[in-house]
Amino acid sequence: MANSKFEYVKAFERDDRILPSTWIVVRIDGRGFHKFTERHGFTKPNDARALHLMNAVAMEVVKDLPDIVLSYGISDEYSFVLKRNTTLFERRESKIVTTIVSNFTANYIYMWPDYFPETKLQRPLPTFDGRAVPYPTTHILRDYMRWRQVDAHINNLYNTTFWALIQQGGMTAAEAEKELAHTLSADKNEILFSRFGINYNKEDEMYKKGSVIFREFEKGKEVDGGEDVPDERMTKSQLEKRKKAYKKSQIVVRFVDIMNDPFYDERPWILGTAKE
Amino acid sequence: MANSKFEYVKAFERDDRILPSTWIVVRIDGRGFHKFTERHGFTKPNDARALHLMNAVAMEVVKDLPDIVLSYGISDEYSFVLKRNTTLFERRESKIVTTIVSNFTANYIYMWPDYFPETKLQRPLPTFDGRAVPYPTTHILRDYMRWRQVDAHINNLYNTTFWALIQQGGMTAAEAEKELAHTLSADKNEILFSRFGINYNKEDEMYKKGSVIFREFEKGKEVDGGEDVPDERMTKSQLEKRKKAYKKSQIVVRFVDIMNDPFYDERPWILGTAKE
Amino acid sequence: MANSKFEYVKAFERDDRILPSTWIVVRIDGRGFHKFTERHGFTKPNDARALHLMNAVAMEVVKDLPDIVLSYGISDEYSFVLKRNTTLFERRESKIVTTIVSNFTANYIYMWPDYFPETKLQRPLPTFDGRAVPYPTTHILRDYMRWRQVDAHINNLYNTTFWALIQQGGMTAAEAEKELAHTLSADKNEILFSRFGINYNKEDEMYKKGSVIFREFEKGKEVDGGEDVPDERMTKSQLEKRKKAYKKSQIVVRFVDIMNDPFYDERPWILGTAKE
Amino acid sequence: MANSKFEYVKAFERDDRILPSTWIVVRIDGRGFHKFTERHGFTKPNDARALHLMNAVAMEVVKDLPDIVLSYGISDEYSFVLKRNTTLFERRESKIVTTIVSNFTANYIYMWPDYFPETKLQRPLPTFDGRAVPYPTTHILRDYMRWRQVDAHINNLYNTTFWALIQQGGMTAAEAEKELAHTLSADKNEILFSRFGINYNKEDEMYKKGSVIFREFEKGKEVDGGEDVPDERMTKSQLEKRKKAYKKSQIVVRFVDIMNDPFYDERPWILGTAKE
């Protein structure tokens, strides 16, 4: 930007760098997706094409920003975890959040035809908002992941039962809602099984668990992503080594438990080994 | 979101509401557009198709968010001014910025084929980052607009001369850069005219002035957009009246001076009449 | 501070500069003053010695920080208005607030014996907390001042009646509270007058209006304090002139109306003449 | 505060709660203490009375705010560490910082005559500014403490040598400064020893190490202060037990090493046992 006497207006910009040494979670959410999914004929309660599209889009975001060590998607939302010591964009909140949101949106529109070849996108277009939240300890970050996965479970069980009552039980939405008011998980499982012969445990893992994106390395060639060493403090050869290992690593989507230790214990490169 | 004992993690979200009664400017910028424009064969120094695409995209954003009273675009950036008393998303910064960025990005990808029918979009896709800045007085907001328009002028004069030296003068980029080092505006005008017969004043207004988007009303049916009355304090009939007037109003793009008073004096509905 | 490899911990300090070009109000409040006043035998409903002490203390703060253009005190609170373009401590919030709070506290303890010569200060000592709030327009700042003066009036009328019921009417605190529940201003005036012969209008102006501190200049030698010119943009001779005028000016305490225009119109150097 | 239509001005106050689950350090600094110490005849390089006053004052602050688990003072500054899960004042930054600053200032003025019985306090009075900084991990908090203690050492060695050169060596301040430019620690130790017969290691521990304030418990009756359990999650009997233990505990000042593990390992109630 060129100099001028009006440049003083830049002084009104706030320094929005996120507290160092905290895990940064960027969560994005579809705006007005209830109507959007109706207008575009999404299958209920889950539309596999739409979820695979979300996952493919998230993969592109992760490829673009290697400091993302873990991502988790359910329904029309996705959470991206940046490694604790990331210095991406000097940790500036606006820059981080808008870059991820823009990247996600661009890919969603761009890849839409691959997943919905027969449904043309119509206005209002799908868009996403986002926010960044810092988590000071790995323990609390782990609870964040649990929060989202519990949410996924509760919502999916509800939706599966709700739509079974409508699609197979012939109820209206209002009737189904009333039927499910004050029911517990066990009740919903029972409704599904006794009335519709659905064993919830056998439902698609992607629907029940949500989608988890992370890096897998060849055995013995693991490189720590979430480790407590900022890039600036790594030597050139360390950075080079990681870069190579990253290239050979594979970004994968899995539908697995992230509530408990095994997932993290088996992949210490994701959040590191520090127990907090 | 369902309840669970992990929900405490929400307490780590910051309340990011922007100071009330300030003008909010959201400025978005293309990320890595230098390479993007090269890969997609943009005409230099200005590509009319690309600028018209930016304008069409910004129009969609303005249609979607009627609290935007003024927008200004140059090159790969766009500024959106929200009215002083907007309560859009409770003035939450992340929500406002990401919504605008996502909306802009979605439309850019979606409308690309209309403006570049012969150029398929290739990865890395065009994306935008953004930030929100509050301005406490109309005077300083006016200086913000001046800052951007002065920038537009300086950059366009430089680029026009730079590319003339290359495209018509046969220089390399390095030679052109050297030639222009330490030159003043008058010098560049002179180079353009004497060497290439270009009268800079006759260049396209869109290139020289940038693009200004705002609402025009039928004479006598103006409704104040930037006025100092928050929606909550308006009566139902006032809100209704404004809504109707908005529907009949036209969102327009003009390539005009926004440095001086006439633009605002003739359209008091944009920033109000308060002189600060 | 000396250099060391541990100095990186400074990076966790947040940049807390307050938005430029806003009026900054620092309001301080006595902590636990209810008990403090009881322990130190304050006269109820108002203790003139205590209020004069508060005013004398505030005067010292104003002398120390000439960028304070207006102050207003009631009961155990004081508001200090810094001029819109102050660059005091680079507008860093913590620095501004703690300096004022510390200065106020130091003077309160130091000057206590002058106002309470027969009452020794006892632990817990009187302390004050504080906060800074930015106001983007003069109009809203004026409303802030109105808010505090309306508060002063409502509280003082209530307290005056409450203590008359107790001290002269022989009620208990609970009875007085019950008596006053749901009464309007007119009712309280009536109680005071008909039962106790007190004409509220004739009560001490300091109790009814609160205390206003500002600068008075000799006629013709006024210097604008709240004006829209930051110190950095003033010439040396302008700064010198103001310094001289300040020295000759007098900081005064008055018990006057700050709800309406006359106070400000007659003293344009306080908030400037800009009508917002 | 009474209700009025002007109360909307409260909406301009920012929610300034500090990120949960971070260690909060409040550091206060004397304002203009260079001149203050000269005017009040402080002994150079260290004035024992002044340091004991600082320590006594800090003790009062710690007594008043039991969530402070560790404090450290050097020269005219003091750092107070609040336990990681403190909910003091809902973690509101302004409230926490101003309360500590005000409390410190009040006690400094109040206790002055006990430590300087023959020196009357003169204006400008001693005041302190302060700031709060959140630290996300115990490791980084430990580095903060190291930073301050290294600073204490470096400054005290410099000052001790500087004043020996002046007081015993007959140099001017400028000469002493020049003499010390570019010297290392070993050089200063050598100057002290060879020229003035001073063995720096035998200097007063308070000067060399600074002052550390914390709680000591009777053996077997320790109660964790910095532990990771917020008060709200403790049972009544746990809270009661801690309160009793606190009453029996002793707040002490020690001049000891806080760079290395032993201090913390022997007192796990200060920062907890979590190794981060």
Side-chain angles (χ1 to χ4, degrees), chain B residues 132-168:
Chain B
V133 187
Y135 288 106
T137 71
T138 307
H139 177 79
I140 302 171
L141 173 66
R142 288 276 309 271
D143 275 352
Y144 174 86
M145 304 309 292
R146 289 182 185 103
W147 178 49
R148 301 320 305 134
Q149 197 163 45
V150 165
D151 230 34
H153 168 71
I154 294 173
N155 290 337
N156 190 59
L157 177 56
Y158 182 93
N159 291 337
T160 304
T161 321
F162 178 82
W163 286 101
L165 289 168
I166 291 171
Q167 293 165 345
Q168 298 170 250

Side-chain angles (χ1 to χ4, degrees), chain A residues 1 12 22 64 100 127 142 155 200 212 214 224 253 267 269:
Chain A
M1 291 170 179
F12 292 76
T22 54
D64 189 47
I100 288 179
T127 57
R142 287 276 308 270
N155 290 338
Y200 183 73
V212 188
F214 54 94
D224 202 343
V253 190
R267 297 167 189 87
W269 57 85

Side-chain angles (χ1 to χ4, degrees), chain C residues 183-240:
Chain C
T183 56
L184 303 176
S185 289
D187 303 324
K188 296 191 193 79
N189 273 302
E190 180 58 22
I191 291 173
L192 282 174
F193 192 71
S194 59
R195 295 202 209 168
F196 308 111
I198 296 169
N199 182 342
Y200 183 75
N201 289 328
K202 293 190 178 165
E203 289 290 293
D204 194 318
E205 291 295 311
M206 179 167 68
Y207 304 158
K208 288 185 303 181
K209 294 279 200 305
S211 302
V212 189
I213 296 182
F214 53 94
R215 251 190 200 86
E216 286 284 26
F217 294 93
E218 269 181 77
K219 276 263 180 264
K221 307 212 164 162
E222 296 87 354
V223 173
D224 201 343
E227 76 210 315
D228 259 347
V229 183
D231 290 9
E232 302 86 61
R233 291 204 216 149
M234 292 177 82
T235 62
K236 258 194 190 173
S237 76
Q238 282 176 313
L239 285 168
E240 200 53 46

Side-chain angles (χ1 to χ4, degrees), chain A residues 59-271:
Chain A
M59 291 276 266
E60 292 298 325
V61 173
V62 174
K63 271 185 219 162
D64 189 47
L65 301 170
D67 278 7
I68 298 173
V69 290
L70 183 62
S71 313
Y72 180 67
I74 45 171
S75 181
D76 62 342
E77 77 165 54
Y78 237 98
S79 298
F80 299 96
V81 182
L82 289 154
K83 64 180 193 177
R84 188 192 262 278
N85 280 310
T86 185
T87 51
L88 181 65
F89 305 133
E90 299 169 83
R91 299 177 74 89
R92 282 180 289 151
E93 186 174 339
S94 292
K95 196 94 175 173
I96 290 172
V97 182
T98 56
T99 297
I100 288 179
V101 162
S102 185
N103 204 322
F104 199 96
T105 307
N107 277 291
Y108 196 94
I109 308 279
Y110 187 74
M111 298 169 83
W112 173 269
D114 299 342
Y115 291 81
F116 288 88
E118 285 159 33
T119 313
K120 210 182 143 21
L121 260 186
Q122 285 161 30
R123 295 189 183 281
L125 300 176
T127 57
F128 299 85
D129 58 39
R131 84 202 58 211
V133 188
Y135 287 106
T137 73
T138 307
H139 177 78
I140 302 172
L141 174 68
R142 287 276 308 270
D143 276 352
Y144 174 86
M145 303 311 290
R146 291 183 183 101
W147 177 49
R148 300 322 303 135
Q149 196 164 47
V150 166
D151 230 34
H153 170 70
I154 293 173
N155 290 338
N156 190 59
L157 178 55
Y158 182 92
N159 290 337
T160 303
T161 321
F162 178 81
W163 285 99
L165 289 169
I166 290 172
Q167 291 166 347
Q168 298 171 248
M171 285 188 180
T172 64
E175 288 165 349
E177 205 181 320
K178 204 179 157 194
E179 183 84 14
L180 292 177
H182 313 300
T183 56
L184 302 176
S185 288
D187 303 324
K188 296 191 195 79
N189 273 301
E190 180 59 24
I191 290 172
L192 282 174
F193 192 69
S194 60
R195 296 202 210 168
F196 308 112
I198 297 171
N199 182 343
Y200 183 73
N201 289 329
K202 293 192 177 162
E203 289 290 293
D204 193 318
E205 290 296 310
M206 178 167 68
Y207 305 159
K208 288 186 302 180
K209 294 280 199 306
S211 303
V212 188
I213 297 181
F214 54 94
R215 251 190 199 85
E216 288 282 28
F217 294 92
E218 269 181 78
K219 277 262 180 259
K221 307 213 165 163
E222 296 87 354
V223 173
D224 202 343
E227 78 211 313
D228 259 348
V229 184
D231 290 9
E232 301 86 60
R233 292 205 215 148
M234 293 179 80
T235 61
K236 256 194 191 174
S237 77
Q238 282 175 313
L239 285 167
E240 199 54 44
K241 192 188 150 202
R242 189 180 61 188
K243 211 174 163 186
K244 272 187 196 164
Y246 267 30
K247 269 198 187 149
K248 282 188 197 159
S249 74
Q250 230 188 322
I251 300 170
V252 298
V253 190
R254 298 284 181 267
F255 317 117
V256 293
D257 177 281
I258 51 171
M259 306 276 295
N260 300 296
D261 291 344
F263 174 78
Y264 303 98
D265 286 349
E266 291 164 17
R267 297 167 189 87
W269 57 85
I270 293 181
L271 302 188

Side-chain angles (χ1 to χ4, degrees), chain C residues 1-4 6-14 16 27 29 31 60 64-65 77 89 92-95 97-99 101-107 109-111 120-136 139-140 143-144 146-148 150-151 154-155 259, chain D residues 1-4 6-14 16 27 29 31 60 64-65 77 89 92-95 97-99 101-107 109-111 120-136 139-140 143-144 146-148 150-151 154-155 259:
Chain C
M1 292 169 176
N3 277 318
S4 80
F6 304 117
E7 214 171 336
Y8 79 91
V9 299
K10 274 176 74 74
F12 292 76
E13 296 179 13
R14 193 171 54 83
D16 66 345
R27 183 172 72 249
D29 280 281
R31 283 186 65 220
E60 293 298 327
D64 189 46
L65 301 170
E77 77 164 54
F89 304 133
R92 282 180 289 152
E93 185 173 340
S94 292
K95 197 95 176 173
V97 182
T98 56
T99 296
V101 162
S102 185
N103 205 321
F104 199 95
T105 307
N107 278 290
I109 308 280
Y110 188 74
M111 298 170 84
K120 210 182 143 18
L121 260 186
Q122 284 162 30
R123 293 188 183 282
L125 300 176
T127 56
F128 299 85
D129 60 37
R131 85 203 57 212
V133 188
Y135 287 107
H139 177 79
I140 302 171
D143 275 352
Y144 174 86
R146 289 183 184 104
W147 178 49
R148 299 323 301 136
V150 165
D151 231 34
I154 293 173
N155 290 338
M259 306 275 296
Chain D
M1 291 170 179
N3 277 319
S4 78
F6 304 117
E7 214 170 337
Y8 79 92
V9 298
K10 274 176 74 75
F12 292 75
E13 295 178 12
R14 194 171 53 83
D16 66 346
R27 184 173 71 248
D29 281 281
R31 282 186 66 220
E60 293 298 326
D64 189 47
L65 301 170
E77 78 164 54
F89 305 132
R92 281 180 289 152
E93 186 174 341
S94 291
K95 196 94 176 173
V97 182
T98 55
T99 296
V101 162
S102 185
N103 204 323
F104 199 95
T105 308
N107 277 289
I109 308 280
Y110 187 74
M111 299 170 84
K120 212 182 142 19
L121 260 186
Q122 284 162 29
R123 295 189 184 283
L125 299 176
T127 57
F128 300 84
D129 58 39
R131 84 202 61 210
V133 188
Y135 288 107
H139 177 79
I140 302 171
D143 276 352
Y144 175 87
R146 289 183 185 103
W147 178 49
R148 300 322 303 135
V150 165
D151 230 34
I154 294 173
N155 290 337
M259 306 275 296

